[in-house]
Amino acid sequence: MARRVFVVGGHTTPFIGKKHPDFIWKRHPDFGKRTNPSLEDYIRVSVQGALEATGTPGEAVEKAWVGNFVGELFSNQGHLGAAVVGADPGLMYKPVMRVEGACASGGLAFASAVESIQAGTDITLVVGVEVQTTKSAREGGDILARASHYARQREIDDFTFPALFGRRTKHYREAFGVSEEDIGRAAVKAYANANKNPLAHMRAVTMDFETARAAGDRNPNFLSNEEFAPYIKMSDCSQVSDGGSAMIVVSEEGLAKLGKTESDAIEVLTVAHATGNLWEDGDLTRLGTTHTAAQRAYAAAGLAPSDVGVAEVHDCFTVTEVMMTEALGFADFGKGGELLKEGRTEITGDIPVNTGGGLVGFGHPVGATGVKQVLEIYRQMKGQCGDYQIAEPPSVGMTANMGGDDKTVVVGLYRNL
Ligand code: CAA
C-alpha cells in the first residue's frame, strides 16, 4: 500500500429483529407505546456514535460512504448519501455516496474509503445500515432475492437465499461426506457467542447441540423446495435484522489531525475485492470468489492463514461459515467441519471465528454487516469485547464479507498496533 490506512474505532447499534427482547411486535408489552427504530434512526445513531467514540468532529470528515442494499424496498428510501449528511451538522456539503453490492455493501463502502485514503484523503467516515423487519421473512425473501440472478433463481423457493445455500449444503455434504451435525455445530457456537454479546440479535435465545444437529419441532426445515428443504433448517439461517454500524478510517496524517497515536488504531494491511459472474454459478462445493479474494489479500500483506488470530466471516448460513474457513485457508477444502468440531474456531481456540455471534447470532442487517465485521476486529484487538473477549488480544485479524451467493467478496487483513 502506498499510504498507510488505520481504523480508529466507531459504533455499532444493537442488531434487533424477531426474538430480540427489545423488538416491538404485536404481543410485546410496549406495542403501541413505541416503534422500532427506522433507517434514519440507525444512520443517525451509528454516525453520531462513531464521531463521538473517536473524538472526530463532523467537520473533520473529508469523505463518507454508506453501504446499503435495499432501502428502497424495505423502507421506501433511497439516496442515502444525503441521509448520512443529516446525521451531523458538520457533515453538510461533504461528498458522501451510497455503495451497493448486496450483502457486501458495507465491505464495499469500507474498500472505497481505504482506496480514497491511499489516494490522498486523510479522514473518512464509513457507514453500513439496513432495516428489514418492515416486511415478513417470506416477503423479505423476495426482496433479498434481488441479490441472486432473479430471473433464473427466484423460483427456487419463496426463501430464495436459504434455498440457494440449501443447494450448496447438499453439494458440499455429498462431495466431502460431511454430516448435518458437523455443520450444526456452527449454530451452537454462533448462539453461544451471541449470548455473551449485549448487541446481538440472538443474545437471549439459546441453542443446544441436540436442537441444532437435526430438524425437529423447535427447529423445522421450512423450504417448500423438496430437493433442498432437508439441507437447511431455521437454526442454520442468519437473522432478518435491523441495525447500523459506522467507523472512522484515516491516514497517518489523519491520526495526527485527530490527536491520536498508532496505539489507538488498527492498521488495514490490505483490502482485496473479487467479483464472480452473477449469471452463472461455478463449483458449489467451494467459495471460489472468496478464495480468490483471500489469496490476493495474503499475497498483498505477505501473510499466511496461520498468521491470523481472529476472523469475522460471512456466515449467512451455517454451511457458509464452514466453507468460508476453507476458502480463507484455515482448513483444507472439505475439512472446515473438523476445525469446528475440534473447537479451534471458538473464542478459546487458536483461530476464533465470529466471536460476537456472526450473522447467525449477532444478526445480519445486510448493509451493516461488512462495517460491523471490521469494527469487531478493532474491538477484539483493543480488548473491548467484554464477555466474549479473546484472552490474549490478537495481533492479526481478517474479515470476509460476501454479497449474493459468493458473487461480491471483500476480504481485509488488519494488524494491531
Ligand atoms: N414447521 C414448518 N414450517 C415452519 C414452522 C414449523 N414449525 N415454523 C415456521 N415455518 C415456516 C413457515 O413456512 C414460515 O412461513 P410463513 O410465516 O409464511 O408461514 C417460515 O417458516 C418462516 O417462519 P417465521 O416467519 O415464523 O420465521 P422467522 O420470521 O423467524 O424467520 C427465517 C426465520 C425464515 C429463517 C428468517 O430468519 C430468514 O429468512 N433468514 C434468512 C435471511 C436471509 O436470507 N438473509 C440473506 C442471507 S444471504 C447473504 O448474506 C448474501 C446476499 O447478498 C443476500
Side-chain angles (χ1 to χ4, degrees), residues 12-17 20 199-201 241-245 362-365 368 372:
T12 299
T13 71
F15 286 2
I16 72 167
H20 186 284
L199 299 179
H201 185 151
S241 317
D242 302 340
S245 187
F362 200 145
H364 183 28
K372 177 222 71 175

Side-chain angles (χ1 to χ4, degrees), residues 152-165:
R152 175 172 59 99
Q153 296 179 314
R154 172 59 186 136
E155 294 308 319
I156 188 173
D157 197 273
D158 275 2
F159 296 94
T160 301
F161 268 92
L164 287 173
F165 280 86

Side-chain angles (χ1 to χ4, degrees), residues 46 67 80 97 108 121 152-153 176 193 207 214 224 226 249 254 264 279 289 295-296 306 357 362 367 374 380 387 408:
S46 58
L80 298 185
M97 71 171 87
L108 291 180
T121 310
R152 175 172 59 99
Q153 296 179 314
F176 297 113
N193 292 354
M207 179 64 61
S224 325
E226 288 177 10
V249 183
D264 298 317
W279 316 124
T289 311
Q295 295 296 110
R296 279 185 200 153
S306 56
F362 200 145
V374 180
Q380 276 293 358
D387 289 348
T408 296

Side-chain angles (χ1 to χ4, degrees), residues 3 7 61 88 171 229 261 263 273 294 301 334 340 393:
R3 295 177 88 223
V7 175
V61 173
D88 184 275
H171 284 258
T261 63
S263 63
H273 170 199
L340 194 57

Side-chain angles (χ1 to χ4, degrees), residues 138-351:
R138 189 180 292 277
E139 291 171 293
D142 183 50
I143 293 176
L144 294 173
R146 267 79 170 177
S148 72
H149 176 188
Y150 194 91
R152 175 172 59 99
Q153 296 179 314
R154 172 59 186 136
E155 294 308 319
I156 188 173
D157 197 273
D158 275 2
F159 296 94
T160 301
F161 268 92
L164 287 173
F165 280 86
R167 181 175 74 145
R168 271 205 189 265
T169 308
K170 180 175 192 290
H171 284 258
Y172 175 78
R173 282 180 48 195
E174 287 172 1
F176 297 113
V178 174
S179 71
E180 184 175 8
E181 66 177 46
D182 284 342
I183 294 173
R185 281 192 188 87
V188 178
K189 175 174 75 66
Y191 280 76
N193 292 354
N195 294 161
K196 300 185 176 117
N197 176 3
L199 299 179
H201 185 151
M202 287 299 178
R203 69 174 162 88
V205 180
T206 53
M207 179 64 61
D208 55 51
F209 185 49
E210 281 314 303
T211 310
R213 72 193 303 174
D217 290 347
R218 201 189 141 207
N219 189 14
N221 297 122
F222 63 100
L223 300 184
S224 325
N225 182 310
E226 288 177 10
E227 184 183 1
F228 304 128
Y231 293 92
I232 204 126
K233 48 195 182 300
M234 291 283 192
S235 63
D236 293 313
C237 296
S238 58
Q239 308 311 318
V240 172
S241 317
D242 302 340
S245 187
M247 63 192 173
I248 302 294
V249 183
V250 302
S251 65
E252 271 183 290
E253 290 79 0
L255 277 181
K257 284 183 190 175
L258 293 179
K260 295 192 181 291
T261 63
E262 290 192 7
S263 63
D264 298 317
I266 63 170
E267 183 167 9
V268 182
L269 298 174
T270 190
V271 174
H273 170 199
T275 318
N277 179 355
L278 186 63
W279 316 124
E280 288 172 19
D281 303 321
D283 181 352
L284 294 174
T285 68
R286 56 180 68 189
L287 302 174
T289 311
T290 304
H291 183 62
T292 303
Q295 295 296 110
R296 279 185 200 153
Y298 287 127
L303 292 173
S306 56
D307 294 317
V308 178
V310 61
E312 282 286 313
V313 313
H314 196 97
D315 58 323
C316 49
F317 300 93
T318 49
V319 74
T320 331
E321 175 169 310
V322 175
M323 295 176 81
M324 277 257 157
T325 59
E326 297 167 11
L328 301 181
F330 305 147
D332 291 338
F333 287 106
K335 302 289 185 195
E338 289 177 25
L339 197 73
L340 194 57
K341 190 173 183 175
E342 290 160 4
R344 294 181 54 198
T345 55
E346 289 176 13
I347 294 167
T348 50
D350 61 312
I351 173 62

